[in-house]
Amino acid sequence: MMSNYTVLAVTLIIWFGIFAYLMVLDRKTRRLEVKK
Amino acid sequence: MVWKIVLLVVMTWVIVGAFILPAPQQAIGEASRIFYFHVPQAWVAVVAFLVSMVASVRFLRNGNRLEDDRARVAAGLGLLFSLLATVSGSIFAKVTWQSYWNWDPRETSILILLLIYGAYFALRTAVTEPERQARLAAVYAIFAFVTVPFLMFVIPRVLPSLHPSDSIVDESGSFAMSLETSVVFFPSLAAFTGVFIWMYRLGRRVTTAERLRIEE
C-alpha cells in the first residue's frame, strides 16, 4: 500500500504538469489570437 | 497573471492539505480523502453544463456563433469533469465497496449523464451544415441540461444508495463539515472552478480561431 506522502508527491507532480501545460497553451493561443 | 499564481498556490495547498490533514470521514478512512477532489469535479461538471445551456439560449436568441463556441467548449469540459468524477468515484467504490462498478443509482445516473452529453457531440458531428449544426446542438444542450438536476441531485437521493450523502450536510440538514475539512474543501471548490475557467477560456479561443479559419 502506497503511503500518503507517495500519493501526495505523485498528485503534486500531476498538478504542476497540468499547470505548466495550461501556461504553454495560454501563451500559444495568445499568439494565435494576435495573428488573427 | 496574478490569478494564475493564486490558483497555483491554492491548488497546491488543497493537494497538500488533502493528504496531510486528518481524513474527512474517519469511519470510511483514508479513501475518504478523495472527497476533496471528487466533489469539486462533480461541481465543476454541473457549472460547465449550466454555462453550456446559458450560451445555447443566448445563441438561439441572437444567432451569434461565439455563443455556440462557448456552448460547445463548456459541454466538452462538463463531459471531461463528469468523467473525472466518475473515475474518482469508481476508485472510492473499489476501496469501500470492493468493486469499481456496482450499478449504484449514483453510478448509473452519472453514466446516463455521460451518454447524454456524449450524444451532444455525436449530434454535432452528424450534422455538417454549420448553422444547422449550431441550432440543433443549442436546442439539444437546453434539453440535456434539464436532466442534470434530476440525474445529479434528485435520483441519487430518492433511490437507496451506498453513496455517502452526509459529508457536507447531515440528515437533519445542518452543516456537517469540520474546520479541518472546510479549510481544504472550499479552497478545492474554488481551485477546480479556477481551472475550469482557465480551460474554458483556452478552449473558446481555439474553437473560435478554428471556426474563423474554416469560414475564411
PDB file of all heavy atoms in Angstrom, chain B residues 33-68:
ATOM      1  N   ARG B  33     -10.400  10.720   1.596  1.00  0.00           N
ATOM      2  CA  ARG B  33      -9.659  11.907   1.138  1.00  0.00           C
ATOM      3  C   ARG B  33     -10.004  12.259  -0.301  1.00  0.00           C
ATOM      4  O   ARG B  33      -9.825  13.395  -0.736  1.00  0.00           O
ATOM      5  CB  ARG B  33      -8.143  11.661   1.251  1.00  0.00           C
ATOM      6  CG  ARG B  33      -7.662  11.544   2.673  1.00  0.00           C
ATOM      7  CD  ARG B  33      -6.173  11.293   2.734  1.00  0.00           C
ATOM      8  NE  ARG B  33      -5.766  10.930   4.092  1.00  0.00           N
ATOM      9  CZ  ARG B  33      -5.532  11.804   5.054  1.00  0.00           C
ATOM     10  NH1 ARG B  33      -5.644  13.093   4.806  1.00  0.00           N
ATOM     11  NH2 ARG B  33      -5.177  11.401   6.263  1.00  0.00           N
ATOM     12  N   ILE B  34     -10.481  11.285  -1.056  1.00  0.00           N
ATOM     13  CA  ILE B  34     -10.838  11.536  -2.461  1.00  0.00           C
ATOM     14  C   ILE B  34     -11.994  12.531  -2.572  1.00  0.00           C
ATOM     15  O   ILE B  34     -12.199  13.151  -3.617  1.00  0.00           O
ATOM     16  CB  ILE B  34     -11.154  10.182  -3.179  1.00  0.00           C
ATOM     17  CG1 ILE B  34     -10.752  10.271  -4.653  1.00  0.00           C
ATOM     18  CG2 ILE B  34     -12.612   9.788  -3.014  1.00  0.00           C
ATOM     19  CD1 ILE B  34     -10.580   8.936  -5.318  1.00  0.00           C
ATOM     20  N   PHE B  35     -12.730  12.692  -1.467  1.00  0.00           N
ATOM     21  CA  PHE B  35     -13.825  13.665  -1.372  1.00  0.00           C
ATOM     22  C   PHE B  35     -13.371  15.065  -1.811  1.00  0.00           C
ATOM     23  O   PHE B  35     -14.118  15.792  -2.479  1.00  0.00           O
ATOM     24  CB  PHE B  35     -14.303  13.657   0.088  1.00  0.00           C
ATOM     25  CG  PHE B  35     -15.146  14.829   0.510  1.00  0.00           C
ATOM     26  CD1 PHE B  35     -16.489  14.891   0.173  1.00  0.00           C
ATOM     27  CD2 PHE B  35     -14.601  15.853   1.281  1.00  0.00           C
ATOM     28  CE1 PHE B  35     -17.275  15.964   0.588  1.00  0.00           C
ATOM     29  CE2 PHE B  35     -15.380  16.925   1.697  1.00  0.00           C
ATOM     30  CZ  PHE B  35     -16.716  16.980   1.343  1.00  0.00           C
ATOM     31  N   TYR B  36     -12.109  15.432  -1.450  1.00  0.00           N
ATOM     32  CA  TYR B  36     -11.602  16.768  -1.772  1.00  0.00           C
ATOM     33  C   TYR B  36     -11.445  17.001  -3.274  1.00  0.00           C
ATOM     34  O   TYR B  36     -11.301  18.132  -3.715  1.00  0.00           O
ATOM     35  CB  TYR B  36     -10.246  17.002  -1.099  1.00  0.00           C
ATOM     36  CG  TYR B  36     -10.309  17.046   0.407  1.00  0.00           C
ATOM     37  CD1 TYR B  36      -9.563  16.168   1.186  1.00  0.00           C
ATOM     38  CD2 TYR B  36     -11.117  17.978   1.044  1.00  0.00           C
ATOM     39  CE1 TYR B  36      -9.607  16.218   2.568  1.00  0.00           C
ATOM     40  CE2 TYR B  36     -11.177  18.036   2.429  1.00  0.00           C
ATOM     41  CZ  TYR B  36     -10.414  17.152   3.183  1.00  0.00           C
ATOM     42  OH  TYR B  36     -10.472  17.212   4.545  1.00  0.00           O
ATOM     43  N   PHE B  37     -11.415  15.934  -4.043  1.00  0.00           N
ATOM     44  CA  PHE B  37     -11.255  16.055  -5.496  1.00  0.00           C
ATOM     45  C   PHE B  37     -12.530  15.665  -6.232  1.00  0.00           C
ATOM     46  O   PHE B  37     -12.899  16.278  -7.226  1.00  0.00           O
ATOM     47  CB  PHE B  37     -10.077  15.183  -5.973  1.00  0.00           C
ATOM     48  CG  PHE B  37      -8.801  15.492  -5.226  1.00  0.00           C
ATOM     49  CD1 PHE B  37      -8.392  14.727  -4.151  1.00  0.00           C
ATOM     50  CD2 PHE B  37      -8.039  16.593  -5.598  1.00  0.00           C
ATOM     51  CE1 PHE B  37      -7.235  15.044  -3.446  1.00  0.00           C
ATOM     52  CE2 PHE B  37      -6.875  16.919  -4.905  1.00  0.00           C
ATOM     53  CZ  PHE B  37      -6.478  16.135  -3.823  1.00  0.00           C
ATOM     54  N   HIS B  38     -13.193  14.627  -5.723  1.00  0.00           N
ATOM     55  CA  HIS B  38     -14.377  14.077  -6.391  1.00  0.00           C
ATOM     56  C   HIS B  38     -15.539  15.073  -6.408  1.00  0.00           C
ATOM     57  O   HIS B  38     -16.136  15.317  -7.470  1.00  0.00           O
ATOM     58  CB  HIS B  38     -14.773  12.786  -5.662  1.00  0.00           C
ATOM     59  CG  HIS B  38     -16.053  12.179  -6.123  1.00  0.00           C
ATOM     60  ND1 HIS B  38     -16.195  11.555  -7.347  1.00  0.00           N
ATOM     61  CD2 HIS B  38     -17.277  12.092  -5.521  1.00  0.00           C
ATOM     62  CE1 HIS B  38     -17.430  11.110  -7.472  1.00  0.00           C
ATOM     63  NE2 HIS B  38     -18.113  11.431  -6.390  1.00  0.00           N
ATOM     64  N   VAL B  39     -15.857  15.672  -5.258  1.00  0.00           N
ATOM     65  CA  VAL B  39     -17.000  16.603  -5.182  1.00  0.00           C
ATOM     66  C   VAL B  39     -16.747  17.864  -6.028  1.00  0.00           C
ATOM     67  O   VAL B  39     -17.624  18.252  -6.811  1.00  0.00           O
ATOM     68  CB  VAL B  39     -17.356  16.939  -3.710  1.00  0.00           C
ATOM     69  CG1 VAL B  39     -18.494  17.959  -3.639  1.00  0.00           C
ATOM     70  CG2 VAL B  39     -17.747  15.675  -2.956  1.00  0.00           C
ATOM     71  N   PRO B  40     -15.560  18.508  -5.930  1.00  0.00           N
ATOM     72  CA  PRO B  40     -15.325  19.658  -6.819  1.00  0.00           C
ATOM     73  C   PRO B  40     -15.393  19.306  -8.313  1.00  0.00           C
ATOM     74  O   PRO B  40     -15.831  20.125  -9.121  1.00  0.00           O
ATOM     75  CB  PRO B  40     -13.924  20.141  -6.427  1.00  0.00           C
ATOM     76  CG  PRO B  40     -13.783  19.718  -5.014  1.00  0.00           C
ATOM     77  CD  PRO B  40     -14.476  18.398  -4.933  1.00  0.00           C
ATOM     78  N   GLN B  41     -14.969  18.103  -8.678  1.00  0.00           N
ATOM     79  CA  GLN B  41     -15.062  17.695 -10.091  1.00  0.00           C
ATOM     80  C   GLN B  41     -16.527  17.639 -10.524  1.00  0.00           C
ATOM     81  O   GLN B  41     -16.897  18.129 -11.603  1.00  0.00           O
ATOM     82  CB  GLN B  41     -14.401  16.318 -10.299  1.00  0.00           C
ATOM     83  CG  GLN B  41     -12.889  16.376 -10.279  1.00  0.00           C
ATOM     84  CD  GLN B  41     -12.245  15.026 -10.021  1.00  0.00           C
ATOM     85  OE1 GLN B  41     -12.913  14.013  -9.823  1.00  0.00           O
ATOM     86  NE2 GLN B  41     -10.922  15.004 -10.017  1.00  0.00           N
ATOM     87  N   ALA B  42     -17.374  17.051  -9.659  1.00  0.00           N
ATOM     88  CA  ALA B  42     -18.807  16.969  -9.975  1.00  0.00           C
ATOM     89  C   ALA B  42     -19.424  18.377 -10.011  1.00  0.00           C
ATOM     90  O   ALA B  42     -20.254  18.683 -10.874  1.00  0.00           O
ATOM     91  CB  ALA B  42     -19.512  16.093  -8.947  1.00  0.00           C
ATOM     92  N   TRP B  43     -18.987  19.232  -9.087  1.00  0.00           N
ATOM     93  CA  TRP B  43     -19.482  20.608  -9.030  1.00  0.00           C
ATOM     94  C   TRP B  43     -19.150  21.357 -10.325  1.00  0.00           C
ATOM     95  O   TRP B  43     -20.013  22.006 -10.928  1.00  0.00           O
ATOM     96  CB  TRP B  43     -18.872  21.307  -7.804  1.00  0.00           C
ATOM     97  CG  TRP B  43     -18.684  22.788  -7.925  1.00  0.00           C
ATOM     98  CD1 TRP B  43     -17.519  23.451  -8.170  1.00  0.00           C
ATOM     99  CD2 TRP B  43     -19.695  23.802  -7.810  1.00  0.00           C
ATOM    100  NE1 TRP B  43     -17.737  24.814  -8.215  1.00  0.00           N
ATOM    101  CE2 TRP B  43     -19.066  25.053  -8.000  1.00  0.00           C
ATOM    102  CE3 TRP B  43     -21.074  23.765  -7.570  1.00  0.00           C
ATOM    103  CZ2 TRP B  43     -19.756  26.256  -7.958  1.00  0.00           C
ATOM    104  CZ3 TRP B  43     -21.762  24.976  -7.537  1.00  0.00           C
ATOM    105  CH2 TRP B  43     -21.105  26.192  -7.715  1.00  0.00           C
ATOM    106  N   VAL B  44     -17.887  21.232 -10.773  1.00  0.00           N
ATOM    107  CA  VAL B  44     -17.463  21.907 -11.999  1.00  0.00           C
ATOM    108  C   VAL B  44     -18.242  21.372 -13.205  1.00  0.00           C
ATOM    109  O   VAL B  44     -18.620  22.136 -14.104  1.00  0.00           O
ATOM    110  CB  VAL B  44     -15.936  21.765 -12.204  1.00  0.00           C
ATOM    111  CG1 VAL B  44     -15.536  22.154 -13.616  1.00  0.00           C
ATOM    112  CG2 VAL B  44     -15.196  22.643 -11.207  1.00  0.00           C
ATOM    113  N   ALA B  45     -18.518  20.064 -13.206  1.00  0.00           N
ATOM    114  CA  ALA B  45     -19.297  19.479 -14.310  1.00  0.00           C
ATOM    115  C   ALA B  45     -20.668  20.154 -14.403  1.00  0.00           C
ATOM    116  O   ALA B  45     -21.109  20.536 -15.490  1.00  0.00           O
ATOM    117  CB  ALA B  45     -19.440  17.977 -14.111  1.00  0.00           C
ATOM    118  N   VAL B  46     -21.327  20.338 -13.250  1.00  0.00           N
ATOM    119  CA  VAL B  46     -22.654  20.975 -13.240  1.00  0.00           C
ATOM    120  C   VAL B  46     -22.545  22.426 -13.725  1.00  0.00           C
ATOM    121  O   VAL B  46     -23.354  22.883 -14.544  1.00  0.00           O
ATOM    122  CB  VAL B  46     -23.291  20.907 -11.826  1.00  0.00           C
ATOM    123  CG1 VAL B  46     -24.587  21.713 -11.777  1.00  0.00           C
ATOM    124  CG2 VAL B  46     -23.567  19.463 -11.435  1.00  0.00           C
ATOM    125  N   VAL B  47     -21.522  23.141 -13.240  1.00  0.00           N
ATOM    126  CA  VAL B  47     -21.315  24.539 -13.660  1.00  0.00           C
ATOM    127  C   VAL B  47     -21.099  24.596 -15.181  1.00  0.00           C
ATOM    128  O   VAL B  47     -21.683  25.444 -15.873  1.00  0.00           O
ATOM    129  CB  VAL B  47     -20.119  25.176 -12.916  1.00  0.00           C
ATOM    130  CG1 VAL B  47     -19.747  26.525 -13.511  1.00  0.00           C
ATOM    131  CG2 VAL B  47     -20.436  25.332 -11.436  1.00  0.00           C
ATOM    132  N   ALA B  48     -20.284  23.677 -15.700  1.00  0.00           N
ATOM    133  CA  ALA B  48     -19.985  23.664 -17.138  1.00  0.00           C
ATOM    134  C   ALA B  48     -21.247  23.402 -17.955  1.00  0.00           C
ATOM    135  O   ALA B  48     -21.486  24.064 -18.972  1.00  0.00           O
ATOM    136  CB  ALA B  48     -18.933  22.596 -17.433  1.00  0.00           C
ATOM    137  N   PHE B  49     -22.071  22.457 -17.509  1.00  0.00           N
ATOM    138  CA  PHE B  49     -23.310  22.172 -18.245  1.00  0.00           C
ATOM    139  C   PHE B  49     -24.267  23.365 -18.175  1.00  0.00           C
ATOM    140  O   PHE B  49     -24.981  23.652 -19.134  1.00  0.00           O
ATOM    141  CB  PHE B  49     -23.984  20.906 -17.692  1.00  0.00           C
ATOM    142  CG  PHE B  49     -23.206  19.644 -17.965  1.00  0.00           C
ATOM    143  CD1 PHE B  49     -23.108  18.621 -17.018  1.00  0.00           C
ATOM    144  CD2 PHE B  49     -22.554  19.457 -19.187  1.00  0.00           C
ATOM    145  CE1 PHE B  49     -22.387  17.470 -17.274  1.00  0.00           C
ATOM    146  CE2 PHE B  49     -21.831  18.304 -19.448  1.00  0.00           C
ATOM    147  CZ  PHE B  49     -21.744  17.311 -18.492  1.00  0.00           C
ATOM    148  N   LEU B  50     -24.245  24.070 -17.046  1.00  0.00           N
ATOM    149  CA  LEU B  50     -25.070  25.282 -16.912  1.00  0.00           C
ATOM    150  C   LEU B  50     -24.593  26.364 -17.897  1.00  0.00           C
ATOM    151  O   LEU B  50     -25.410  26.986 -18.586  1.00  0.00           O
ATOM    152  CB  LEU B  50     -25.016  25.801 -15.463  1.00  0.00           C
ATOM    153  CG  LEU B  50     -25.764  27.103 -15.183  1.00  0.00           C
ATOM    154  CD1 LEU B  50     -27.270  26.900 -15.316  1.00  0.00           C
ATOM    155  CD2 LEU B  50     -25.442  27.623 -13.775  1.00  0.00           C
ATOM    156  N   VAL B  51     -23.269  26.547 -17.962  1.00  0.00           N
ATOM    157  CA  VAL B  51     -22.699  27.532 -18.893  1.00  0.00           C
ATOM    158  C   VAL B  51     -23.080  27.170 -20.328  1.00  0.00           C
ATOM    159  O   VAL B  51     -23.472  28.037 -21.136  1.00  0.00           O
ATOM    160  CB  VAL B  51     -21.155  27.609 -18.740  1.00  0.00           C
ATOM    161  CG1 VAL B  51     -20.523  28.449 -19.853  1.00  0.00           C
ATOM    162  CG2 VAL B  51     -20.777  28.177 -17.381  1.00  0.00           C
ATOM    163  N   SER B  52     -23.009  25.875 -20.646  1.00  0.00           N
ATOM    164  CA  SER B  52     -23.358  25.409 -21.987  1.00  0.00           C
ATOM    165  C   SER B  52     -24.823  25.722 -22.309  1.00  0.00           C
ATOM    166  O   SER B  52     -25.148  26.172 -23.416  1.00  0.00           O
ATOM    167  CB  SER B  52     -23.103  23.906 -22.074  1.00  0.00           C
ATOM    168  OG  SER B  52     -23.419  23.436 -23.350  1.00  0.00           O
ATOM    169  N   MET B  53     -25.688  25.505 -21.326  1.00  0.00           N
ATOM    170  CA  MET B  53     -27.114  25.767 -21.529  1.00  0.00           C
ATOM    171  C   MET B  53     -27.373  27.266 -21.726  1.00  0.00           C
ATOM    172  O   MET B  53     -28.092  27.673 -22.651  1.00  0.00           O
ATOM    173  CB  MET B  53     -27.900  25.224 -20.323  1.00  0.00           C
ATOM    174  CG  MET B  53     -29.405  25.277 -20.464  1.00  0.00           C
ATOM    175  SD  MET B  53     -30.111  26.837 -19.933  1.00  0.00           S
ATOM    176  CE  MET B  53     -30.034  26.653 -18.162  1.00  0.00           C
ATOM    177  N   VAL B  54     -26.761  28.096 -20.875  1.00  0.00           N
ATOM    178  CA  VAL B  54     -26.957  29.555 -20.971  1.00  0.00           C
ATOM    179  C   VAL B  54     -26.449  30.062 -22.327  1.00  0.00           C
ATOM    180  O   VAL B  54     -27.135  30.838 -23.010  1.00  0.00           O
ATOM    181  CB  VAL B  54     -26.246  30.286 -19.801  1.00  0.00           C
ATOM    182  CG1 VAL B  54     -26.256  31.789 -20.012  1.00  0.00           C
ATOM    183  CG2 VAL B  54     -26.916  29.935 -18.474  1.00  0.00           C
ATOM    184  N   ALA B  55     -25.278  29.592 -22.743  1.00  0.00           N
ATOM    185  CA  ALA B  55     -24.719  30.021 -24.040  1.00  0.00           C
ATOM    186  C   ALA B  55     -25.621  29.556 -25.187  1.00  0.00           C
ATOM    187  O   ALA B  55     -25.790  30.281 -26.177  1.00  0.00           O
ATOM    188  CB  ALA B  55     -23.307  29.466 -24.209  1.00  0.00           C
ATOM    189  N   SER B  56     -26.222  28.376 -25.046  1.00  0.00           N
ATOM    190  CA  SER B  56     -27.118  27.861 -26.092  1.00  0.00           C
ATOM    191  C   SER B  56     -28.366  28.729 -26.202  1.00  0.00           C
ATOM    192  O   SER B  56     -28.816  29.041 -27.317  1.00  0.00           O
ATOM    193  CB  SER B  56     -27.517  26.414 -25.777  1.00  0.00           C
ATOM    194  OG  SER B  56     -26.375  25.601 -25.786  1.00  0.00           O
ATOM    195  N   VAL B  57     -28.914  29.123 -25.055  1.00  0.00           N
ATOM    196  CA  VAL B  57     -30.094  30.009 -25.055  1.00  0.00           C
ATOM    197  C   VAL B  57     -29.729  31.324 -25.740  1.00  0.00           C
ATOM    198  O   VAL B  57     -30.475  31.840 -26.583  1.00  0.00           O
ATOM    199  CB  VAL B  57     -30.600  30.256 -23.607  1.00  0.00           C
ATOM    200  CG1 VAL B  57     -31.656  31.361 -23.584  1.00  0.00           C
ATOM    201  CG2 VAL B  57     -31.157  28.978 -22.998  1.00  0.00           C
ATOM    202  N   ARG B  58     -28.568  31.850 -25.386  1.00  0.00           N
ATOM    203  CA  ARG B  58     -28.135  33.134 -25.970  1.00  0.00           C
ATOM    204  C   ARG B  58     -27.925  32.993 -27.476  1.00  0.00           C
ATOM    205  O   ARG B  58     -28.232  33.908 -28.242  1.00  0.00           O
ATOM    206  CB  ARG B  58     -26.854  33.625 -25.286  1.00  0.00           C
ATOM    207  CG  ARG B  58     -27.130  34.071 -23.850  1.00  0.00           C
ATOM    208  CD  ARG B  58     -25.860  34.286 -23.093  1.00  0.00           C
ATOM    209  NE  ARG B  58     -25.110  35.389 -23.631  1.00  0.00           N
ATOM    210  CZ  ARG B  58     -24.567  36.367 -22.904  1.00  0.00           C
ATOM    211  NH1 ARG B  58     -24.719  36.352 -21.602  1.00  0.00           N
ATOM    212  NH2 ARG B  58     -23.881  37.315 -23.462  1.00  0.00           N
ATOM    213  N   PHE B  59     -27.375  31.845 -27.898  1.00  0.00           N
ATOM    214  CA  PHE B  59     -27.176  31.632 -29.342  1.00  0.00           C
ATOM    215  C   PHE B  59     -28.518  31.619 -30.069  1.00  0.00           C
ATOM    216  O   PHE B  59     -28.674  32.237 -31.135  1.00  0.00           O
ATOM    217  CB  PHE B  59     -26.425  30.321 -29.616  1.00  0.00           C
ATOM    218  CG  PHE B  59     -26.401  29.968 -31.067  1.00  0.00           C
ATOM    219  CD1 PHE B  59     -25.598  30.664 -31.963  1.00  0.00           C
ATOM    220  CD2 PHE B  59     -27.227  28.969 -31.571  1.00  0.00           C
ATOM    221  CE1 PHE B  59     -25.603  30.369 -33.321  1.00  0.00           C
ATOM    222  CE2 PHE B  59     -27.238  28.673 -32.926  1.00  0.00           C
ATOM    223  CZ  PHE B  59     -26.435  29.366 -33.798  1.00  0.00           C
ATOM    224  N   LEU B  60     -29.514  30.925 -29.497  1.00  0.00           N
ATOM    225  CA  LEU B  60     -30.821  30.853 -30.150  1.00  0.00           C
ATOM    226  C   LEU B  60     -31.490  32.228 -30.203  1.00  0.00           C
ATOM    227  O   LEU B  60     -32.269  32.515 -31.107  1.00  0.00           O
ATOM    228  CB  LEU B  60     -31.725  29.843 -29.431  1.00  0.00           C
ATOM    229  CG  LEU B  60     -31.335  28.367 -29.588  1.00  0.00           C
ATOM    230  CD1 LEU B  60     -32.256  27.481 -28.768  1.00  0.00           C
ATOM    231  CD2 LEU B  60     -31.365  27.945 -31.064  1.00  0.00           C
ATOM    232  N   ARG B  61     -31.162  33.067 -29.230  1.00  0.00           N
ATOM    233  CA  ARG B  61     -31.775  34.408 -29.207  1.00  0.00           C
ATOM    234  C   ARG B  61     -31.108  35.372 -30.185  1.00  0.00           C
ATOM    235  O   ARG B  61     -31.776  36.141 -30.854  1.00  0.00           O
ATOM    236  CB  ARG B  61     -31.714  34.985 -27.789  1.00  0.00           C
ATOM    237  CG  ARG B  61     -32.728  34.297 -26.853  1.00  0.00           C
ATOM    238  CD  ARG B  61     -32.643  34.809 -25.457  1.00  0.00           C
ATOM    239  NE  ARG B  61     -33.068  36.195 -25.364  1.00  0.00           N
ATOM    240  CZ  ARG B  61     -33.167  36.860 -24.219  1.00  0.00           C
ATOM    241  NH1 ARG B  61     -32.863  36.264 -23.091  1.00  0.00           N
ATOM    242  NH2 ARG B  61     -33.561  38.100 -24.197  1.00  0.00           N
ATOM    243  N   ASN B  62     -29.742  35.343 -30.241  1.00  0.00           N
ATOM    244  CA  ASN B  62     -29.082  36.358 -31.084  1.00  0.00           C
ATOM    245  C   ASN B  62     -28.325  35.792 -32.296  1.00  0.00           C
ATOM    246  O   ASN B  62     -27.850  36.562 -33.127  1.00  0.00           O
ATOM    247  CB  ASN B  62     -28.148  37.234 -30.228  1.00  0.00           C
ATOM    248  CG  ASN B  62     -27.020  36.422 -29.586  1.00  0.00           C
ATOM    249  OD1 ASN B  62     -26.689  35.336 -30.052  1.00  0.00           O
ATOM    250  ND2 ASN B  62     -26.447  36.946 -28.526  1.00  0.00           N
ATOM    251  N   GLY B  63     -28.219  34.453 -32.385  1.00  0.00           N
ATOM    252  CA  GLY B  63     -27.572  33.838 -33.552  1.00  0.00           C
ATOM    253  C   GLY B  63     -26.076  34.081 -33.658  1.00  0.00           C
ATOM    254  O   GLY B  63     -25.465  33.800 -34.695  1.00  0.00           O
ATOM    255  N   ASN B  64     -25.461  34.575 -32.567  1.00  0.00           N
ATOM    256  CA  ASN B  64     -24.020  34.849 -32.576  1.00  0.00           C
ATOM    257  C   ASN B  64     -23.246  33.533 -32.418  1.00  0.00           C
ATOM    258  O   ASN B  64     -23.403  32.835 -31.411  1.00  0.00           O
ATOM    259  CB  ASN B  64     -23.699  35.820 -31.422  1.00  0.00           C
ATOM    260  CG  ASN B  64     -22.257  36.265 -31.443  1.00  0.00           C
ATOM    261  OD1 ASN B  64     -21.426  35.704 -32.153  1.00  0.00           O
ATOM    262  ND2 ASN B  64     -21.965  37.296 -30.652  1.00  0.00           N
ATOM    263  N   ARG B  65     -22.399  33.225 -33.409  1.00  0.00           N
ATOM    264  CA  ARG B  65     -21.679  31.946 -33.378  1.00  0.00           C
ATOM    265  C   ARG B  65     -20.689  31.853 -32.222  1.00  0.00           C
ATOM    266  O   ARG B  65     -20.263  30.757 -31.850  1.00  0.00           O
ATOM    267  CB  ARG B  65     -20.957  31.715 -34.710  1.00  0.00           C
ATOM    268  CG  ARG B  65     -21.872  31.434 -35.888  1.00  0.00           C
ATOM    269  CD  ARG B  65     -22.635  30.116 -35.731  1.00  0.00           C
ATOM    270  NE  ARG B  65     -21.743  28.982 -35.620  1.00  0.00           N
ATOM    271  CZ  ARG B  65     -21.199  28.347 -36.650  1.00  0.00           C
ATOM    272  NH1 ARG B  65     -21.461  28.744 -37.867  1.00  0.00           N
ATOM    273  NH2 ARG B  65     -20.395  27.318 -36.482  1.00  0.00           N
ATOM    274  N   LEU B  66     -20.301  33.004 -31.651  1.00  0.00           N
ATOM    275  CA  LEU B  66     -19.420  32.973 -30.473  1.00  0.00           C
ATOM    276  C   LEU B  66     -20.091  32.235 -29.318  1.00  0.00           C
ATOM    277  O   LEU B  66     -19.446  31.523 -28.548  1.00  0.00           O
ATOM    278  CB  LEU B  66     -19.086  34.404 -30.033  1.00  0.00           C
ATOM    279  CG  LEU B  66     -17.885  35.077 -30.679  1.00  0.00           C
ATOM    280  CD1 LEU B  66     -17.763  36.500 -30.183  1.00  0.00           C
ATOM    281  CD2 LEU B  66     -16.597  34.313 -30.387  1.00  0.00           C
ATOM    282  N   GLU B  67     -21.410  32.413 -29.214  1.00  0.00           N
ATOM    283  CA  GLU B  67     -22.166  31.736 -28.152  1.00  0.00           C
ATOM    284  C   GLU B  67     -22.163  30.226 -28.386  1.00  0.00           C
ATOM    285  O   GLU B  67     -22.083  29.446 -27.437  1.00  0.00           O
ATOM    286  CB  GLU B  67     -23.607  32.259 -28.084  1.00  0.00           C
ATOM    287  CG  GLU B  67     -23.742  33.738 -27.798  1.00  0.00           C
ATOM    288  CD  GLU B  67     -23.271  34.134 -26.405  1.00  0.00           C
ATOM    289  OE1 GLU B  67     -22.978  33.254 -25.591  1.00  0.00           O
ATOM    290  OE2 GLU B  67     -23.187  35.350 -26.151  1.00  0.00           O
ATOM    291  N   ASP B  68     -22.246  29.839 -29.643  1.00  0.00           N
ATOM    292  CA  ASP B  68     -22.196  28.409 -29.971  1.00  0.00           C
ATOM    293  C   ASP B  68     -20.830  27.833 -29.604  1.00  0.00           C
ATOM    294  O   ASP B  68     -20.739  26.718 -29.082  1.00  0.00           O
ATOM    295  CB  ASP B  68     -22.495  28.215 -31.461  1.00  0.00           C
ATOM    296  CG  ASP B  68     -22.423  26.744 -31.853  1.00  0.00           C
ATOM    297  OD1 ASP B  68     -23.086  25.925 -31.193  1.00  0.00           O
ATOM    298  OD2 ASP B  68     -21.682  26.418 -32.804  1.00  0.00           O
TER     299      ASP B  68
END
